[in-house]
C-alpha cells in the first residue's frame, strides 16, 4: 500500500506561475472578463484544469462591479432584419463573455442622446452597437463621443467615410444598381421605384443606384414612376396600386426592401396581374418572405447577420485592446449586397396587353 | 429693487420632508430603481421639480452595484414570435426602469441550467422570462428554484398548472379545436395535420385540439394524414408534398404554425393546386406572413406581445413586492388564441376533380 500524501490545494499563484502570467490575468480568466486574449485564456484554463484549482467563490464575488454587457440600439419595424442583427451581435457576445441588452428606440426622439446615456450608465454597458438610422445621425454620434461612450456604427455608404469614428458600411447603391441593371437587361424600360424611409441613409443610396443605372443605359427618368414611402408592406401595397393605375403603367417595380416588394406582390395579386409575366418585381434584403412568397422575389442579399457580427467584433475588439493598453484599429470594413435572381422577374413580355386590356400588340423593346 | 437673497440649494432632505417619504425612497427615485411604486415615484418627482433639487452626480455613482435588468430566454427560429415576445417584455422594462438582456439558447443543451445561472450571476439579472420550450422543462425549473433565481414561465396549457411556480399559460388546444371545427364546418373531412416540434408542449396541445374536434364531429382519424415535423417552412413544404401525393389527398391542411402553413402554401403553388378552391390551408399564430401571403392565411391569433407583457409585469411586480416586503401573488393568468378566418380556407368543392385530374364528379359532402 502507498502512503497517502497530504494534498495541498492548488492556489491561484500556482496557476499564474505555471501559465507564466500575472495573478490579475488568472483572476480575469476565472471571472470570465472579456479583456483577456483567447490564447492566454486557453493557456490559463489548461493550467487550472491540470492543477484542479478551484477558485474561492467568496473571492469571486469581490470582482469588479462592472457588468460586462453591450447594448444594441435600433429603430426598425422589420422583424427579420432585427433578428439577424441580434444573431450577429450575440454570436460575438457569446464567444467573448458579454451579455447583450437590446434597446429599440424612437430615432426621431429629441431626447435620444439622454436616453442612451442613461441606458449605458444605469445598465453599466461597455459600449453600443448602433443600427441605422441612429448610426447616421451626426448629432447623436457627437453626444456619444462627448459622453465617452464607446460605439460602433452600421451605416449605408459607398465607401469608408473616414470621419474618425468606427463603422461598418454597406454599399446599398451598388446593389440597387445591379438590381436595376438586371431589370433593364430583361427589356424593361418603365421601371417603378418605391422609396424607403428618408431617415435611413440607405433610402437615397438605393434610389441613387436606380437612377445611375437608368442614366447609364440611356433611359429617361419618369418622375411619375418614383414614389416616396416607408420601408413597409403597406407603403409597398399603396405605392403599387398607384403605379398600376397609371395609363402607361410600369412593366417592373423595384421596391426599396422586401417588405415593400411584398406589398407590391399583394397589390398585383389583388389586381389579377400576373407576376412575373405582366409585372416584374424586385426587393432588397433577401428576407425569408422573399424565398417563401409565390413567386419568390428577386432581391439583393444583405448579409445582416455577418455585418452585425463584424460590427460587434470591432467594438469588443476595441474594448479589449483599450483594456490591454493596445492602440485602437482604424480600418473600417465594407460590405456589398449581392443580386439574387428569383421567379418574380422575367423578360418584358413582347406581346403584352396594352391598357384597357383589349387586343394584343407588339411592343417595341 | 429687491434685495437678492442668497439661494440655498435644496437638499435630498427637503425633498423627502415635502414628499413625506424616507431619504432612501428619494434616493431610489433619483436612481430610477424599480422598487418604488408609480404613485410614490410621481410624488417625489413633483417635489424634486418644484424645489429644483439637483442630485450630486458623485453621490449617484455610489448607488447599489446591482444592475437592474432582466433576461429573456428563448429558443425559437420564428423571428416574428421572438420580436413580439421582446416587444411585450420591453414595454414593461421601459416603464419600470429595467434593461432587457436577450438570451437565445439551445433548449436541448445538457448545460442549460449552468448557462442560465452564469448568465444571471455575471450580468446581475434580477430575474428571467422563460419562453417555451425552456419554460416547460421541469428539471430546468427545479434548478432555477434551487439557485433562487426569480422567473416567470410562458407555457402552453389548458388551465393553470397550479404547480407553485409563476406562469402565464396559453390554451393552444382550444384554438386548434376552433380551427379544425371551422374546416369541418366548411365540409372538409380529409384534413391533414402537420405537427410542430415535440420539445414544445404546444405541439401535442394543438394536435389534441385537432383530434378532439374530429372525434366530436364523428370523423375517423386517418394516420396517413398526420405527419411529424418541426415548426418550420421547410417541414411544412415537405409534409404538404407528401400529403398532396396521396391517392386520396386531403382537401384541407392544418399546419401547426404559420411557418408550416407558408410551406404548405408554397407546395400547393408549386404543384399548381388552387388555394382555397382545391385545398384549404390553416396556420396558427397570426404572423405578418399570414396577412401578406396570397391568399391570406386562416390562423389563430396568438397575442404574443400581450402575453409577454403580462409575463414581464408579473415578474417585475413580484420583484417589487419582494423588495417592499409585500407577499407574492399566486394567481396565474391564462390566454386563448382566437380563430381568424381569411382567404386560404373555403367550402370543400362539391364538384371536384378526382385524383388523376380527368373528368369531374360530384363528391358527397
Amino acid at each position: 500500500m502507498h502512503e497517502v500524501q497530504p494534498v495541498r490545494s492548488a492556489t491561484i499563484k500556482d496557476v499564474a506561475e505555471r501559465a507564466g502570467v500575472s495573478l490579475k490575468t488568472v483572476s480575469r480568466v476565472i471571472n470570465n472578463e472579456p479583456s483577456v486574449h483567447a490564447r492566454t485564456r486557453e493557456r490559463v484554463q489548461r493550467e487550472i484544469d491540470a492543477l484542479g484549482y478551484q477558485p474561492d467563490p467568496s473571492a469571486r464575488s469581490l470582482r469588479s462591479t462592472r457588468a460586462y454587457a453591450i447594448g444594441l440600439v435600433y429603430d426598425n419595424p422589420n422583424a427579420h432584419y432585427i433578428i439577424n442583427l441580434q444573431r450577429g451581435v450575440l454570436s460575438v457576445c457569446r464567444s467573448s463573455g458579454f451579455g447583450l441588452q437590446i434597446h429599440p428606440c424612437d430615432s426621431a426622439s429629441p431626447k435620444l442622446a439622454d436616453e442612451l446615456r442613461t441606458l449605458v450608465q444605469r445598465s453599466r454597458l461597455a459600449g453600443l452597437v448602433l443600427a441605422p438610422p441612429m448610426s447616421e445621425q451626426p448629432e447623436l454620434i457627437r453626444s456619444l463621443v462627448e459622453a465617452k461612450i464607446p460605439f460602433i456604427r452600421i451605416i449605408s455608404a459607398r465607401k469608408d467615410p473616414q470621419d474618425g469614428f468606427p463603422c461598418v458600411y454597406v454599399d446599398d447603391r451598388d446593389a440597387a444598381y445591379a438590381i436595376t441593371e438586371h431589370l433593364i437587361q430583361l427589356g424593361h424600360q418603365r421601371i417603378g421605384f418605391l422609396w424607403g424611409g428618408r431617415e435611413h441613409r440607405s433610402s437615397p443610396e438605393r434610389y441613387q443606384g436606380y437612377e445611375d443605372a437608368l442614366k447609364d443605359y440611356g433611359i429617361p427618368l419618369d418622375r411619375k414612376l418614383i414614389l416616396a414611402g416607408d420601408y413597409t408592406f403597406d407603403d409597398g401595397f399603396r405605392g403599387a396600386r398607384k403605379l398600376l393605375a397609371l395609363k402607361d403603367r410600369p412593366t417592373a417595380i423595384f421596391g426599396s426592401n422586401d417588405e415593400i416588394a411584398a406589398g407590391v406582390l399583394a397589390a398585383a395579386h389583388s389586381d389579377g396581374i400576373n407576376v412575373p409575366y405582366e409585372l416584374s418585381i424586385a426587393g432588397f434584403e433577401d428576407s425569408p418572405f422573399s424565398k417563401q412568397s409565390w413567386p419568390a422575389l428577386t432581391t439583393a442579399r444583405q448579409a445582416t447577420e455577418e455585418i452585425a457580427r463584424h460590427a460587434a467584433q470591432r467594438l469588443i475588439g476595441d474594448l479589449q485592446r483599450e483594456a490591454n493598453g493596445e492602440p485602437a484599429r482604424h480600418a473600417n470594413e465594407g460590405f456589398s449586397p449581392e443580386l439574387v435572381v428569383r421567379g418574380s422577374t422575367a423578360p418584358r413580355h413582347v406581346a403584352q396587353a396594352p391598357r384597357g386590356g383589349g387586343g394584343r400588340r407588339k411592343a417595341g423593346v
Side-chain angles (χ1 to χ4, degrees), chain A:
Chain A
M1 269 175 77
H2 297 284
E3 202 180 332
V4 179
Q5 292 281 333
V7 178
R8 185 182 74 91
S9 299
T11 67
I12 190 168
K13 219 169 141 229
D14 299 331
V15 176
E17 272 171 15
R18 284 184 55 153
V21 299
S22 68
L23 293 179
K24 183 69 200 152
T25 300
V26 178
S27 153
R28 279 184 179 140
V29 171
I30 293 165
N31 291 328
N32 220 342
E33 292 182 20
S35 55
V36 184
H37 277 301
R39 219 173 308 154
T40 310
R41 184 185 297 274
E42 268 170 39
R43 195 166 68 231
V44 171
Q45 193 59 54
R46 245 195 333 264
E47 298 304 335
I48 287 174
D49 295 343
L51 290 164
Y53 168 65
Q54 294 206 317
D56 175 1
S58 69
R60 284 191 66 173
S61 69
L62 291 173
R63 69 190 192 216
S64 149
T65 60
R66 184 161 166 216
Y68 292 101
I70 63 173
L72 173 60
V73 180
Y74 54 86
D75 175 17
N76 193 313
N78 182 340
H80 293 290
Y81 179 78
I82 297 307
I83 286 288
N84 283 327
L85 205 59
Q86 292 178 353
R87 279 197 192 124
V89 175
L90 271 165
S91 72
V92 183
C93 285
R94 285 281 162 102
S95 61
S96 51
F98 277 87
L100 177 64
Q101 276 205 22
I102 54 172
H103 194 76
C105 61
D106 174 6
S107 63
S109 163
K111 292 185 173 175
L112 191 51
D114 289 340
E115 187 181 319
L116 295 186
R117 271 195 300 266
T118 305
L119 170 75
V120 168
Q121 201 185 2
R122 181 197 294 157
S123 298
R124 296 186 172 70
L125 301 181
L128 299 176
V129 177
L130 302 173
M134 280 71 63
S135 56
E136 297 167 345
Q137 297 175 344
E139 276 192 43
L140 182 68
I141 299 305
R142 263 195 301 276
S143 69
L144 293 178
V145 171
E146 276 167 26
K148 296 195 166 58
I149 295 171
F151 62 84
I152 178 83
R153 299 167 297 166
I154 297 171
I155 64 172
S156 175
R158 294 218 68 179
K159 48 184 190 165
D160 189 342
Q162 301 192 304
D163 56 6
F165 307 122
C167 71
V168 296
Y169 58 98
V170 181
D171 188 353
D172 289 280
R173 196 191 300 188
D174 185 60
Y177 186 100
I179 288 174
T180 313
E181 185 173 47
H182 161 70
L183 293 169
I184 295 168
Q185 289 174 345
L186 289 170
H188 297 281
Q189 301 256 327
R190 296 190 58 68
I191 302 171
F193 183 88
L194 299 178
W195 274 72
R198 297 271 176 161
E199 71 280 16
H200 288 261
R201 205 186 283 166
S202 57
S203 294
E205 286 292 321
R206 290 178 194 175
Y207 173 74
Q208 201 54 54
Y210 161 82
E211 193 183 292
D212 289 353
L214 291 186
K215 202 172 286 174
D216 286 356
Y217 281 85
I219 300 172
L221 268 191
D222 182 346
R223 294 284 164 201
K224 287 198 303 300
L225 297 184
I226 300 162
L227 297 180
D230 222 327
Y231 278 131
T232 63
F233 176 89
D234 287 347
D235 277 356
F237 190 86
R238 271 194 292 267
R241 293 300 289 267
K242 277 188 203 156
L243 293 178
L244 296 173
L246 290 175
K247 279 193 180 172
D248 196 8
R249 76 180 194 212
T251 61
I253 297 178
F254 175 10
S256 284
N257 74 351
D258 286 347
E259 296 263 324
I260 294 175
V264 176
L265 188 61
H269 278 310
S270 74
D271 281 1
I273 292 172
N274 186 300
V275 178
Y277 299 106
E278 294 176 86
L279 180 71
S280 283
I281 300 175
F284 200 112
E285 181 188 355
D286 195 32
S287 67
F289 181 93
S290 73
K291 296 170 196 122
Q292 299 174 3
S293 66
W294 188 263
L297 291 174
T298 290
T299 189
R301 181 173 297 135
Q302 183 183 265
T304 306
E305 185 173 339
E306 194 189 343
I307 291 165
R309 194 165 59 238
H310 281 262
Q313 272 162 351
R314 173 74 188 278
L315 175 65
I316 290 178
D318 282 353
L319 291 171
Q320 292 175 333
R321 275 183 289 276
E322 203 202 324
N324 295 326
E326 296 167 23
R329 279 169 55 198
H330 287 292
N332 292 322
E333 287 176 289
F335 292 84
S336 278
E338 263 172 59
L339 175 65
V340 181
V341 176
R342 299 205 183 96
S344 68
T345 51
R348 181 183 163 200
H349 234 288
V350 282
Q352 199 168 28
R355 57 181 177 275
R360 298 178 87 79
R361 61 174 174 87
K362 282 220 167 171
V365 177

